[in-house]
Amino acid sequence: MADLSTDFLGIKSPNPFWLASAPPTDKQVNVLRAFEAGWGGVVWKTLGSQVKNVSSRYSSVDYNGTRIMGFNNIELISDRPLDINLREIKECVRLFPDRAMIVSLMADNSREKWHELISQVEDTGAHGLELNFGCPHGMTERGMGAAVGQDPEIARMVVEWVMEKATIPVITKLTPNVHSVVPTGKASVEAGTNALSLINTIQSVTGIDLDTLVPNPNVAGKSVFGGYCGPAVKPIALKMLTTISQDPTTRKVPISGIGGISTWKDAVEFMLLGATSVQVCTAAMKHGFRIVEDMCDGMNNWMDEKGFKTINDFIGKSVPNLTHWEDLDINYHIIAKISQDKCIHCGLCYIACEDGSHQSINLTQGMPYNTYTVKDEECVGCNLCKLICPVENCITMEVHRKGDEYLNWKEFQRKGLPLNDH
């Protein structure tokens, strides 16, 4: 059986699955239940000057019968007294010393306030700190959260303040509400942060109630932009994670991946793109703490099947496979093939190709059903028919190279090859 144990800056956990800073990690009773269920660690919900939250706080996007494809919240940092949080963190560390205890922080805007909060948290025995530079609602108006993460120089200054005081590992959590996460990631690494985590939630409006005309969530007839997360944000998170893993400065530090992770497969994908640990929130809020059992079993089985003995054997292995468009092989060409044995004659591939792609599928009228075949000479290998087809492996893509040698766009131009003959 593979070894899922994780060493993140010396912070040990039995597996790479941590609960992200959020309502599931805001009190002792919840965190103890999460540890009993098997989570490898938690990031305690953000601490700072106590706030007052509003009601309601959550909304979602449902799609095609699936509830909570995307999830939105306008909840602020912890609204519980700091001394209670600190006492409960200390007790959780005492009861589960083998689990990672990271505490998310968002201090007021001064060096003294950051130093004071760090000292108080370190006294609990917590193993690490996560700087919340990503919260996109409520705290930004006070010059905190994403307001820090959106300005690399402010982020650099705050990280420098933190590193003056911290004696345990510091993780800086990046906001996705920017064109690129790399500038703030670089500034944070240059300022001394020990690690990065990403992504925080994305500023959003999930929808509008068509009866009241009030956007969701409704707080006495008004709403605000909230933080969007859940499965819908995973592709964005993977892209941003990749840019951090590829940059020569930011890739020097370990990364904790966040953003729509719901299954062990999601977690593996984040780790293949450079994450050492992964943080989960929406899936636990939707399905409960015990989903970690399937996550551990699934990752373990996959590692056994692939021959990976530890998680370090596959972290970052997919990063080199994401390149620039002009480096792709133009001679690589694929053509769709429809299995007549598996086809259920629904015609979805024909409609999609005819109206949405490159008109490469023949329709032969028949009784009792129509027949669909691919026009090999017209097929550009876009994959749309395969993506649309409801029958697994009914449509496959076969390789028909245009030439034996690797040929990228730059070489194609240098050789002056004709566009229309290729």
Side-chain angles (χ1 to χ4, degrees), residues 36-333:
E36 289 165 358
W39 289 89
V42 301
V43 181
W44 195 276
K45 184 175 170 66
T46 304
L47 304 182
S49 294
Q50 193 175 352
V51 298
K52 182 71 176 173
N53 273 298
V54 297
S55 176
S56 63
R57 305 175 188 181
Y58 304 148
S59 65
S60 69
V61 174
D62 303 336
Y63 182 73
N64 200 26
T66 299
R67 302 284 281 176
I68 311 184
M69 176 196 74
F71 184 73
N72 167 291
N73 86 90
I74 59 171
E75 185 168 304
L76 304 183
I77 66 176
S78 177
D79 53 13
R80 305 173 71 228
L82 180 61
D83 61 323
I84 294 177
N85 277 295
L86 296 174
R87 187 168 64 245
E88 292 185 352
I89 291 168
K90 189 172 187 177
E91 184 65 2
C92 290
V93 172
R94 186 185 72 81
L95 293 172
F96 282 89
D98 65 328
R99 310 302 169 91
M101 173 61 76
I102 315 297
V103 180
S104 175
L105 304 181
M106 190 192 295
D108 294 342
N109 298 316
S110 74
R111 172 188 275 114
E112 292 71 27
K113 289 294 184 183
W114 275 101
H115 286 190
E116 180 183 347
L117 186 58
I118 290 166
S119 290
Q120 292 171 305
V121 171
E122 289 196 351
D123 286 344
T124 67
H127 307 120
L129 310 172
E130 184 179 76
L131 312 184
N132 184 341
F133 290 175
C135 183
H137 50 266
M139 308 308 288
T140 53
E141 293 87 338
R142 311 173 199 194
M144 303 158 76
V148 175
Q150 289 169 332
D151 188 320
E153 291 312 308
I154 295 177
R156 181 195 304 274
M157 177 182 69
V158 176
V159 171
E160 287 174 348
W161 291 347
V162 169
M163 301 314 295
E164 290 170 356
K165 186 69 177 178
T167 61
I168 56 178
V170 173
I171 306 167
T172 299
K173 187 173 185 178
L174 302 176
T175 176
N177 298 291
V178 288
H179 171 67
S180 168
V181 291
V182 173
T184 297
K186 288 178 66 174
S188 300
V189 171
E190 289 165 357
T193 191
N194 304 116
L196 297 170
S197 61
L198 71 161
I199 60 172
N200 206 309
T201 54
I202 301 171
Q203 209 167 47
S204 60
V205 176
T206 51
I208 299 173
D209 186 313
L210 298 185
D211 292 322
T212 64
L213 310 188
V214 177
N216 303 319
N218 183 333
V219 183
K222 299 291 184 182
S223 191
V224 296
F225 298 152
Y228 196 49
C229 53
V233 310
K234 180 186 136 189
I236 300 167
L238 288 174
K239 182 266 180 181
M240 291 185 164
L241 169 64
T242 303
T243 61
I244 290 293
S245 296
Q246 291 177 329
D247 182 84
T249 298
T250 53
R251 71 186 180 203
K252 293 176 183 174
V253 301
I255 307 165
S256 186
I258 316 164
I261 297 167
S262 304
T263 68
W264 69 268
K265 289 183 179 178
D266 296 334
V268 167
E269 289 170 353
F270 273 75
M271 296 172 77
L272 286 169
L273 288 177
T276 297
S277 71
V278 293
Q279 299 183 30
V280 179
C281 176
T282 307
M285 293 177 74
K286 183 178 178 182
H287 301 293
F289 290 149
R290 294 194 63 181
I291 60 170
V292 73
E293 296 172 5
D294 285 342
M295 289 178 164
C296 289
D297 288 345
M299 184 178 286
N300 223 319
N301 292 337
W302 177 80
M303 288 173 63
D304 285 344
E305 179 184 324
K306 294 295 182 183
F308 296 131
K309 297 188 182 307
T310 76
I311 63 170
N312 294 319
D313 293 342
F314 66 91
I315 289 173
K317 275 200 172 293
S318 294
V319 174
N321 296 332
L322 272 162
T323 185
H324 299 104
W325 189 93
E326 61 265 30
D327 292 323
L328 296 175
D329 185 359
I330 289 177
N331 273 337
Y332 179 75
H333 185 68

Side-chain angles (χ1 to χ4, degrees), residues 3 29 44 80 110 220 264 328 367 382 388 402:
D3 179 6
V29 63
W44 195 276
R80 305 173 71 228
S110 74
W264 69 268
L328 296 175
M367 286 294 291
C382 71
I388 290 290
K402 296 286 189 180

